[in-house]
mmCIF file of all heavy atoms in Angstrom:
data_model
loop_
_atom_site.group_PDB
_atom_site.id
_atom_site.type_symbol
_atom_site.label_atom_id
_atom_site.label_comp_id
_atom_site.label_asym_id
_atom_site.label_seq_id
_atom_site.Cartn_x
_atom_site.Cartn_y
_atom_site.Cartn_z
ATOM 1 N N LYS A 160 -1.011 4.802 5.529
ATOM 2 C CA LYS A 160 -0.960 3.663 6.341
ATOM 3 C C LYS A 160 -0.213 2.504 5.702
ATOM 4 O O LYS A 160 0.500 1.989 6.408
ATOM 5 C CB LYS A 160 -2.474 3.287 6.611
ATOM 6 C CG LYS A 160 -3.106 4.106 7.669
ATOM 7 C CD LYS A 160 -4.634 3.768 7.776
ATOM 8 C CE LYS A 160 -5.441 4.643 8.686
ATOM 9 N NZ LYS A 160 -6.847 4.540 8.509
ATOM 10 N N LYS A 161 -0.455 2.382 4.471
ATOM 11 C CA LYS A 161 0.104 1.133 3.789
ATOM 12 C C LYS A 161 1.622 1.190 3.553
ATOM 13 O O LYS A 161 2.278 0.241 3.740
ATOM 14 C CB LYS A 161 -0.541 0.796 2.425
ATOM 15 C CG LYS A 161 -0.335 -0.455 1.867
ATOM 16 C CD LYS A 161 -1.204 -0.921 0.681
ATOM 17 C CE LYS A 161 -0.571 -1.996 0.030
ATOM 18 N NZ LYS A 161 -1.383 -2.444 -1.148
ATOM 19 N N THR A 162 2.002 2.370 3.214
ATOM 20 C CA THR A 162 3.598 2.503 3.032
ATOM 21 C C THR A 162 4.263 3.505 3.926
ATOM 22 O O THR A 162 5.423 3.392 4.268
ATOM 23 C CB THR A 162 3.941 2.729 1.539
ATOM 24 O OG1 THR A 162 3.212 3.912 1.147
ATOM 25 C CG2 THR A 162 3.437 1.617 0.693
ATOM 26 N N GLY A 163 3.423 4.677 4.204
ATOM 27 C CA GLY A 163 4.106 5.707 4.759
ATOM 28 C C GLY A 163 4.482 5.474 6.328
ATOM 29 O O GLY A 163 5.628 5.787 6.713
ATOM 30 N N LYS A 164 3.827 4.746 7.037
ATOM 31 C CA LYS A 164 4.166 4.404 8.455
ATOM 32 C C LYS A 164 5.351 3.604 8.555
ATOM 33 O O LYS A 164 6.220 3.861 9.478
ATOM 34 C CB LYS A 164 2.957 3.637 9.123
ATOM 35 C CG LYS A 164 1.619 4.362 9.196
ATOM 36 C CD LYS A 164 1.602 5.101 10.545
ATOM 37 C CE LYS A 164 0.118 5.686 10.621
ATOM 38 N NZ LYS A 164 0.088 6.830 11.797
ATOM 39 N N MET A 165 5.651 2.687 7.543
ATOM 40 C CA MET A 165 6.811 1.846 7.670
ATOM 41 C C MET A 165 8.008 2.668 7.324
ATOM 42 O O MET A 165 9.207 2.453 7.753
ATOM 43 C CB MET A 165 6.728 0.552 6.855
ATOM 44 C CG MET A 165 5.765 -0.493 7.374
ATOM 45 S SD MET A 165 6.487 -1.039 8.974
ATOM 46 C CE MET A 165 7.897 -2.011 8.372
ATOM 47 N N LEU A 166 7.852 3.699 6.373
ATOM 48 C CA LEU A 166 9.017 4.581 6.072
ATOM 49 C C LEU A 166 9.356 5.464 7.316
ATOM 50 O O LEU A 166 10.434 5.549 7.605
ATOM 51 C CB LEU A 166 8.626 5.417 4.830
ATOM 52 C CG LEU A 166 8.515 4.565 3.581
ATOM 53 C CD1 LEU A 166 8.162 5.503 2.340
ATOM 54 C CD2 LEU A 166 9.917 3.995 3.051
ATOM 55 N N GLU A 167 8.237 5.934 7.975
ATOM 56 C CA GLU A 167 8.386 6.766 9.308
ATOM 57 C C GLU A 167 9.321 5.877 10.187
ATOM 58 O O GLU A 167 10.144 6.262 10.966
ATOM 59 C CB GLU A 167 7.127 7.278 9.803
ATOM 60 C CG GLU A 167 6.509 8.279 8.838
ATOM 61 C CD GLU A 167 5.070 8.744 9.469
ATOM 62 O OE1 GLU A 167 4.945 8.702 10.696
ATOM 63 O OE2 GLU A 167 4.307 9.155 8.592
ATOM 64 N N CYS A 168 8.701 4.631 10.270
ATOM 65 C CA CYS A 168 9.303 3.708 11.382
ATOM 66 C C CYS A 168 10.873 3.498 10.976
ATOM 67 O O CYS A 168 11.730 3.402 11.891
ATOM 68 C CB CYS A 168 8.707 2.321 11.100
ATOM 69 S SG CYS A 168 9.584 0.912 11.960
ATOM 70 N N SER A 169 11.191 3.549 9.736
ATOM 71 C CA SER A 169 12.681 3.345 9.328
ATOM 72 C C SER A 169 13.587 4.407 9.787
ATOM 73 O O SER A 169 14.569 4.118 10.353
ATOM 74 C CB SER A 169 12.752 3.229 7.821
ATOM 75 O OG SER A 169 11.897 2.096 7.207
ATOM 76 N N VAL A 170 13.114 5.715 9.545
ATOM 77 C CA VAL A 170 13.863 6.705 10.046
ATOM 78 C C VAL A 170 13.945 6.818 11.569
ATOM 79 O O VAL A 170 14.897 7.147 12.265
ATOM 80 C CB VAL A 170 13.619 8.094 9.468
ATOM 81 C CG1 VAL A 170 13.885 8.100 7.944
ATOM 82 C CG2 VAL A 170 12.196 8.500 9.725
ATOM 83 N N LEU A 171 12.837 6.503 12.228
ATOM 84 C CA LEU A 171 12.723 6.580 13.699
ATOM 85 C C LEU A 171 13.563 5.461 14.306
ATOM 86 O O LEU A 171 14.192 5.600 15.248
ATOM 87 C CB LEU A 171 11.263 6.428 14.169
ATOM 88 C CG LEU A 171 10.298 7.498 13.961
ATOM 89 C CD1 LEU A 171 8.793 7.046 14.357
ATOM 90 C CD2 LEU A 171 10.629 8.787 14.677
ATOM 91 N N THR A 172 13.580 4.349 13.615
ATOM 92 C CA THR A 172 14.624 3.305 14.052
ATOM 93 C C THR A 172 16.030 3.799 14.045
ATOM 94 O O THR A 172 16.777 3.572 15.040
ATOM 95 C CB THR A 172 14.247 2.135 13.060
ATOM 96 O OG1 THR A 172 13.052 1.531 13.399
ATOM 97 C CG2 THR A 172 15.372 0.979 13.477
ATOM 98 N N GLY A 173 16.440 4.481 13.051
ATOM 99 C CA GLY A 173 17.647 4.967 12.945
ATOM 100 C C GLY A 173 17.842 6.110 14.222
ATOM 101 O O GLY A 173 18.907 5.975 14.875
ATOM 102 N N GLY A 174 16.989 6.919 14.239
ATOM 103 C CA GLY A 174 16.976 7.939 15.226
ATOM 104 C C GLY A 174 17.094 7.423 16.715
ATOM 105 O O GLY A 174 17.706 7.938 17.580
ATOM 106 N N ILE A 175 16.300 6.420 16.974
ATOM 107 C CA ILE A 175 16.188 5.848 18.368
ATOM 108 C C ILE A 175 17.585 5.199 18.622
ATOM 109 O O ILE A 175 18.110 5.263 19.721
ATOM 110 C CB ILE A 175 14.965 4.870 18.465
ATOM 111 C CG1 ILE A 175 13.718 5.584 18.448
ATOM 112 C CG2 ILE A 175 15.207 4.070 19.689
ATOM 113 C CD1 ILE A 175 12.529 4.614 18.193
ATOM 114 N N ALA A 176 18.076 4.458 17.596
ATOM 115 C CA ALA A 176 19.369 3.675 17.886
ATOM 116 C C ALA A 176 20.465 4.748 17.946
ATOM 117 O O ALA A 176 21.567 4.609 18.609
ATOM 118 C CB ALA A 176 19.709 2.833 16.675
#
Side-chain angles (χ1 to χ4, degrees):
Chain A
K160 287 179 185 159
K161 191 171 166 177
T162 58
K164 296 270 187 193
M165 284 297 290
L166 292 173
E167 292 176 31
C168 169
S169 304
V170 295
L171 288 174
T172 293
I175 291 163

